[in-house]
């Protein structure tokens, strides 16, 4: 983990001594300075988006590059994200795809997922659904929750593979159980259609804290159709979160989602 050590301190513009950072964040910074690749990526993410210090995306890229040059897959994934969304650099989808591909080659499941998204949608490259399916399938088989959910969509819609609703529902359930909010919503929808309303509400409740506006809107529609006290309570909470997230800008770095 300490290979390719360099005296990084001179390259780090963040004066942490002047910041009141939690001990956990300071510890990440110190290990990043020592050349630990995971902490270099975590420190770069903090520089992208942290409540404890001003954002510095250009400096974040430097830290991601250090770890990427040492062959660390998650660092290539984060460089892909920077080029994909223009965080600290100009948007460059070709460069983003290159870094995602390198991350995937190094075994990073977020790299498989993010390259799969570009390939599925034809962003920065020709659309190639069979290749996207293979990328999502690889990540899903390695327990990547978001890839499980998208794999379920492939089976539900019959993209590339034959339509298989049962397989779709199984992947949605696995995605939900592994923690993806989209998987939680899709699994809840299936349960509601089966009449298992209390179970469905349990999964919508689990989706609520992390759901983005598109899922919150879908939840709002589903919950509005249910004449149940618990559903009405969850609907109010969903509408409150929707009001809170809608003003957020699309380009705000979401370093936790990575996808």
């Amino acid at each position: 983990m300490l290979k390719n050590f360099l005296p990084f301190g001179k390259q780090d513009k963040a004066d942490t001594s002047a910041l009141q950072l939690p001990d956990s964040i300071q510890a990440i910074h110190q290990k990043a300075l020592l050349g630990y690749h995971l902490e270099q990526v975590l420190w770069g993410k903090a520089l992208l988006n942290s409540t404890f210090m001003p954002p510095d995306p250009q400096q974040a890229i430097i830290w991601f590059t250090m770890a990427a040059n040492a062959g660390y897959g998650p660092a290539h994934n984060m460089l892909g994200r920077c080029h994909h969304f223009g965080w600290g650099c100009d948007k460059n989808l070709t460069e983003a795809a290159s870094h995602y591909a390198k991350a995937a080659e190094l075994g990073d499941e977020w790299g498989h997922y993010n390259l799969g998204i570009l390939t599925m949608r034809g962003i920065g490259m020709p659309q190639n659904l069979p290749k996207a399916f293979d990328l999502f399938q690889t990540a899903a088989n390695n327990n990547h929750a978001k890839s499980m959910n998208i794999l379920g969509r492939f089976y539900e819609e019959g993209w590339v593979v034959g339509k298989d609703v049962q397989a779709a529902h199984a992947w949605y359930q696995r995605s939900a159980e592994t923690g993806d909010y989209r998987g939680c919503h899709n699994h809840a929808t299936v349960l509601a259609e089966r009449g298992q309303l209390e179970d469905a509400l349990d999964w919508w409740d689990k989706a609520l804290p992390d759901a983005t506006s598109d899922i919150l809107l879908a939840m709002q529609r589903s919950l509005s159709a249910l004449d149940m006290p618990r559903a009405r309570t969850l609907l109010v909470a969903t509408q409150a979160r929707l009001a809170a997230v809608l003003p957020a800008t699309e380009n705000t770095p979401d370093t936790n989602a990575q996808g």
Side-chain angles (χ1 to χ4, degrees), residues 140-143 145 148 169-179:
N141 286 334
N142 285 315
N143 217 37
M148 293 175 189
H169 293 177
W171 280 113
Y172 290 150
Q173 181 173 351
R174 285 189 61 186
S175 176
E177 291 171 346
T178 312

Side-chain angles (χ1 to χ4, degrees), residues 37-52:
H37 308 321
L38 170 61
E39 281 73 18
Q40 288 171 346
V41 171
L42 293 176
W43 180 244
K45 288 183 179 183
L47 289 166
L48 277 180
N49 184 21
S50 172
T51 58
F52 302 110

Side-chain angles (χ1 to χ4, degrees), residues 6 121 138 201 227 238:
L6 291 173
R121 296 176 179 170
T138 296
L201 290 171
D227 186 17
T238 298

Side-chain angles (χ1 to χ4, degrees), residues 117-141:
I117 291 292
L118 295 187
T119 307
M120 178 179 72
R121 296 176 179 170
I123 298 174
M125 62 180 73
Q127 185 184 52
N128 187 332
L129 289 180
K131 180 181 177 181
F133 177 83
D134 288 343
L135 288 163
F136 293 132
Q137 186 175 53
T138 296
N141 286 334

